[in-house]
Amino acid sequence: MEDSIKVEVKKDHLDKVSRAPVLSALTELVWNAFDADADLVQVTIERTDFGLQAVHIKDDGMGIIHKDSKKLFSSLGGSWKGQKGTSPKGRFLHGKEGQGRFKSFAIGRAVEWNTSFFDGENTLSYTIKGKADNKGIFYPTSPKISANQSAGTTVSIYEPHKDFTSINKERLLEHFSSVFAIYLSQYKSIKLYVDGDLVDPEGQIKHKTNLPLDNVLFDNVDYPYELQIIEWNCNTTNEVQLCNNNGFPLLPYEKTIRGTGDFSYTAYLKSEHISKLNTVGTLGLGDLEPSLSKPIDAAISALKNHFMLRRIELSADKIQKWKIENIYPYSNVLNGPIEEAERQVFDILALNISEQIPEFERTDIKLKKFQFRLLKQIVGSNPDDLHIILTEVLNLSKGKQSELAELLKDASLSAIISTAKVISDRLRFIAGLEEILFNPDKKKVLKERTQLHKILAENTWVFGDEFSLTVNDQSLSEVLKIHLDKKGSAVHLDKPVKRIDGRVGIVDLMLTRSIGKNHSDEREHLVVELKAPKVDIGEDEISQIKSYAFASIADERFKHLKTKWNFWVISNDLKPFAEMELKQDKTGKGIIYEIDNLTIYVKTWGELIQECKHRLEFVRDQLDINIDKTDGLKYLQESYSEYTKDVILAEEHSGTEV
């Protein structure tokens, strides 16, 4: 026996590597065989009447050249594969860190490598032995000419640990099928056997899907991403494998993906970006690696959405039966992406009702039809109430509740419905507002304070989504008081703040927003002076808004605070005086006065409504929402009946728009 090989790595590091899960360790040894250009790999589990005795991994690869053995076994990371991307036969190399030989100690106490290699003239054979008791030393023998002319290596692991005793042929066949599916499909010449049975991933595949994901920019390189999902006929441990762009697994994603438990699958997240992270050593951080968290989140979302659609697809016969019975509450014609999203959520819930409540299918058809229409109503108008169905109606187990809720949440369908409802309601509001502001008969009777003001107080998004209502119809003193409260100032107001002309000012709306996370001591205010549609903006109205503004700026309590003030006066139209004032505005934004911390605007309702429509237009087009004035009037009547009395008559929105 030659001198021993001492490993140049600290013991605690070796212990960590050799504590790998048993399946992971076996997988690594098979990868080593493939990386050695083996075309035939045979895994054999040796059992006797006394139980599991050994496990052997035999390959017909190129073997371990004797002169390289000391370098290869003396350190971690010393693999011959480290500087190469492909094997001599041109195969993709999986392992580059040289950890496979140490992971073998995760399987059993004693490990023996019997290897044969060709030195250019002869085939030579020798053995390397190691024990888990002292993982820092390996014992090689001297090479001898082999009677067998074939190269290759057999790794034999003896005295297996007790947690390996539960591993059987069936489990290994399933595991190897999922791990090596893509590799074996690409390299058709390779055969992998477990106890004489061929690992045949293609025979186990039930369904295969490729889903493109968004690219990731990393170190100024744009890396494409793809998620391949393979569903298996056999029962497997569901996994997401982080792979290179060829789909060869580099590391499993350790977290469980909730909401996908009804399927047996392996998902392969593929990108050269993952290879890059593996090379620099940060792949093991998983979604804690900043550049990897976004594609992992996207993959999980895509995975859940995929299986939600698969559930519907696999239950097509049942849904078709409901359509024949005329209890399915949707027509055969889809009305845009909103209804498509609603249908998908409805189908998931309806199928669960059918599965979880056996009596449902035996229920009277009229009752089933009523229940489905009720379910459709909840899905379409109150998706946030779906948890009631999961808990009180279906009476699902907590695990099933959690899984289904997770699926619906992360599939983003409820979010689509909720977003569509918000956008639709806003478009209806704008359509109705436009009608009551510009219809000659309606604007005559529309009251500024008791109607227009009240409606807008509940829809302050029309002035910009960044603003939130903080005070409504308060004196200018209250405006200043609220400002001081927000600043945490110790200054107290002991008398009303007067406008420049000495009168107490009344402000219709005050909206406020904080500016930037890095400027917590700053505040921006928007003060809106609303005018009834019949009042055109002229000299009096401009003087009024300026007096409000100048009172705020002039007050000594505000001179040294970092405050940005925006004052608006809004009505339907402008008088010649206001039009002349605006001629000096070069921005086209309606600015009539501007200094460092104060801007005063004159706005018309036509301009403001157009700005709102522009903000909503993109989403409206994507969701295919069509709104007319009849829809708008109906929305205002239903939502703000107390504020639209005498302005909107009930019969006005009962017909359809021509």
Side-chain angles (χ1 to χ4, degrees):
M1 181 175 291
E2 290 192 350
D3 294 337
S4 61
I5 301 173
K6 294 184 179 180
V7 182
E8 300 168 357
V9 179
K10 291 183 178 179
K11 182 179 182 299
D12 59 346
H13 191 64
L14 287 176
D15 289 341
K16 181 180 178 181
V17 172
S18 61
R19 281 198 299 268
V22 169
L23 284 177
S24 173
L26 262 177
T27 301
E28 195 71 28
L29 291 171
V30 174
W31 274 123
N32 281 353
F34 290 156
D35 287 345
D37 275 339
D39 289 319
L40 175 63
V41 180
Q42 301 174 81
V43 178
T44 306
I45 302 172
E46 184 182 329
R47 295 182 185 274
T48 67
D49 293 339
F50 298 100
L52 182 66
Q53 298 299 304
V55 58
H56 308 280
I57 301 95
K58 181 180 180 181
D59 70 65
D60 62 351
M62 59 187 178
I64 303 171
I65 298 174
H66 187 267
K67 65 182 178 64
D68 294 336
S69 61
K70 185 171 184 178
K71 178 182 177 182
L72 295 176
F73 277 77
S74 64
S75 65
L76 274 173
S79 171
W80 63 273
K81 298 172 269 189
Q83 303 301 317
K84 299 182 179 182
T86 58
S87 72
K89 288 186 178 180
R91 297 179 191 166
F92 162 76
L93 292 175
H94 172 268
K96 295 184 181 180
E97 302 303 320
Q99 294 186 0
R101 54 190 174 273
F102 296 102
K103 286 185 178 180
S104 59
F105 292 119
I107 302 170
R109 176 174 173 267
V111 185
E112 183 176 303
W113 285 262
N114 291 289
T115 185
S116 300
F117 66 97
F118 184 65
D119 70 351
E121 295 182 4
N122 300 296
T123 299
L124 304 178
S125 300
Y126 68 102
T127 300
I128 302 174
K129 294 182 179 180
K131 288 190 176 181
D133 308 4
N134 191 352
K135 292 182 280 289
I137 299 179
F138 290 94
Y139 299 95
T141 62
S142 298
K144 296 180 179 179
I145 296 177
S146 173
N148 186 349
Q149 296 300 307
S150 300
T153 300
T154 299
V155 182
S156 297
I157 304 166
Y158 302 99
E159 302 178 47
H161 303 313
K162 61 181 180 180
D163 56 344
F164 185 70
T165 57
S166 62
I167 299 297
N168 55 40
K169 178 171 69 173
E170 290 70 26
R171 181 71 186 92
L172 286 180
L173 285 169
E174 291 171 2
H175 177 73
F176 288 160
S177 289
S178 64
V179 171
F180 299 113
I182 295 177
Y183 189 88
L184 293 174
S185 67
Q186 179 155 342
Y187 302 120
K188 303 290 187 183
S189 64
I190 296 176
K191 303 297 180 186
L192 172 61
Y193 289 87
V194 177
D195 277 351
D197 282 4
L198 179 67
V199 175
D200 180 22
E202 291 297 325
Q204 296 287 352
I205 292 175
K206 177 190 291 184
H207 189 269
K208 190 186 295 186
T209 306
N210 292 321
L211 302 173
L213 302 177
D214 290 341
N215 291 6
V216 167
L217 187 65
F218 182 72
D219 284 350
N220 295 318
V221 178
D222 203 30
Y223 292 98
Y225 261 86
E226 182 183 69
L227 182 69
Q228 183 175 44
I229 305 168
I230 295 180
E231 297 171 36
W232 306 104
N233 289 312
C234 55
N235 293 321
T236 64
T237 301
N238 294 339
E239 287 184 320
V240 176
Q241 295 282 350
L242 305 180
C243 310
N244 75 339
N245 62 326
N246 291 317
F248 300 144
L250 300 176
L251 192 74
Y253 179 67
E254 298 294 346
K255 296 180 182 178
T256 301
I257 311 301
R258 297 169 63 188
T260 62
D262 293 345
F263 294 83
S264 293
Y265 70 88
T266 307
Y268 304 88
L269 184 59
K270 302 190 287 187
S271 176
E272 197 55 36
H273 171 236
I274 293 174
S275 297
K276 181 72 174 178
L277 295 179
N278 190 46
T279 301
V280 300
T282 59
L283 183 61
L285 296 174
D287 47 16
L288 295 179
E289 158 61 39
S291 66
L292 192 57
S293 62
K294 185 176 179 181
I296 284 178
D297 287 346
I300 291 172
S301 179
L303 192 64
K304 292 180 177 181
N305 191 59
H306 165 77
F307 285 121
M308 183 206 62
L309 297 176
R310 284 285 288 150
R311 285 181 178 91
I312 296 172
E313 179 185 328
L314 294 172
S315 302
D317 291 345
K318 185 173 287 188
I319 294 174
Q320 183 60 31
K321 176 176 173 288
W322 293 337
K323 290 179 178 179
I324 294 171
E325 292 176 344
N326 197 30
I327 64 173
Y328 189 72
Y330 295 93
S331 69
N332 291 327
V333 179
L334 269 177
N335 293 316
I338 299 175
E339 185 177 302
E340 182 179 11
E342 285 185 18
R343 283 196 195 198
Q344 290 172 355
V345 173
F346 173 88
D347 289 348
I348 285 293
L349 290 171
L351 290 168
N352 272 273
I353 289 173
S354 177
E355 292 170 5
Q356 300 296 322
I357 306 177
E359 296 81 11
F360 176 79
E361 289 297 338
R362 298 192 293 270
T363 304
D364 179 76
I365 285 184
K366 287 185 179 179
L367 180 56
K368 283 197 289 187
K369 187 171 186 177
F370 169 76
Q371 290 171 329
F372 272 1
R373 290 187 66 83
L374 184 61
L375 179 61
K376 177 189 175 185
Q377 178 68 22
I378 294 174
V379 170
S381 58
N382 298 294
D384 292 337
D385 291 341
L386 292 177
H387 70 280
I388 297 174
I389 298 176
L390 304 182
T391 56
E392 299 180 16
V393 180
L394 290 181
N395 195 26
L396 301 179
S397 66
K398 287 191 177 295
K400 190 67 177 177
Q401 284 180 35
S402 176
E403 183 175 308
L404 192 53
E406 191 81 13
L407 173 68
L408 291 171
K409 180 184 73 175
D410 288 341
S412 76
L413 298 178
S414 294
I416 291 173
I417 296 168
S418 298
T419 301
K421 189 175 187 303
V422 169
I423 298 299
S424 178
D425 286 350
R426 287 188 175 186
L427 286 167
R428 291 166 69 195
F429 176 83
I430 286 295
L433 180 65
E434 190 171 22
E435 180 65 11
I436 65 174
L437 286 172
F438 294 105
N439 183 292
D441 296 329
K442 289 178 173 51
K443 72 177 182 179
K444 284 179 184 178
V445 296
L446 181 65
K447 296 180 177 64
E448 175 191 348
R449 290 301 177 94
T450 59
Q451 294 180 316
L452 180 60
H453 183 169
K454 302 282 188 183
I455 294 171
L456 287 166
E458 297 183 27
N459 291 274
T460 55
W461 55 268
V462 299
F463 305 109
D465 286 313
E466 69 272 28
F467 291 101
S468 59
L469 185 64
T470 59
V471 66
N472 180 13
D473 199 18
Q474 300 292 326
S475 69
L476 188 55
S477 297
E478 188 66 11
V479 170
L480 299 178
K481 179 178 181 300
I482 287 180
H483 178 71
L484 288 171
D485 289 343
K486 286 184 176 295
K487 298 302 297 181
S489 174
V491 177
H492 295 283
L493 295 172
D494 55 7
K495 60 182 179 180
V497 178
K498 304 293 184 181
R499 296 193 330 215
I500 289 178
D501 59 10
R503 291 180 288 130
V504 176
I506 300 296
V507 178
D508 286 280
L509 292 176
M510 180 185 176
L511 300 98
T512 183
R513 67 181 175 93
S514 298
I515 305 176
K517 295 180 180 179
N518 297 324
H519 304 280
S520 59
D521 61 333
E522 297 186 7
R523 179 69 61 180
E524 182 168 350
H525 292 298
L526 170 66
V527 181
V528 181
E529 174 67 16
L530 297 177
K531 293 299 176 188
K534 55 184 175 290
V535 178
D536 293 342
I537 298 174
E539 184 176 3
D540 292 343
E541 291 72 29
I542 289 176
S543 296
Q544 184 184 54
I545 196 70
K546 283 184 176 180
S547 68
Y548 290 152
F550 296 160
S552 302
I553 298 300
D555 194 284
E556 62 183 7
R557 288 162 290 193
F558 293 90
K559 284 183 178 178
H560 304 294
L561 297 178
K562 295 179 182 178
T563 308
K564 170 67 176 171
W565 292 92
N566 298 282
F567 284 79
W568 294 15
V569 58
I570 305 174
S571 191
N572 268 25
D573 209 349
L574 308 178
K575 292 178 180 178
F577 181 88
E579 291 174 346
M580 290 299 295
E581 286 273 309
L582 285 173
K583 285 188 179 296
Q584 64 179 338
D585 175 29
K586 305 300 183 184
T587 67
K589 297 178 180 178
I591 298 173
I592 59 169
Y593 187 89
E594 186 172 30
I595 56 176
D596 291 342
N597 63 337
L598 169 66
T599 307
I600 302 176
Y601 296 85
V602 170
K603 294 275 189 179
T604 67
W605 282 115
E607 292 171 336
L608 194 60
I609 286 172
Q610 187 57 40
E611 289 172 6
C612 290
K613 286 181 176 179
H614 179 73
R615 291 203 305 269
L616 297 170
E617 191 66 23
F618 174 75
V619 181
R620 188 200 70 79
D621 286 344
Q622 295 300 307
L623 298 178
D624 195 24
I625 301 173
N626 295 306
I627 301 293
D628 58 32
K629 73 176 184 180
T630 303
D631 297 317
L633 290 175
K634 182 179 180 181
Y635 178 77
L636 290 183
Q637 175 66 17
E638 291 174 347
S639 304
Y640 309 103
S641 57
E642 59 185 306
Y643 305 143
T644 57
K645 187 179 180 181
D646 300 327
V647 179
I648 303 174
L649 303 178
E651 61 270 16
E652 287 187 85
H653 54 74
S654 60
T656 56
E657 180 74 0
V658 178

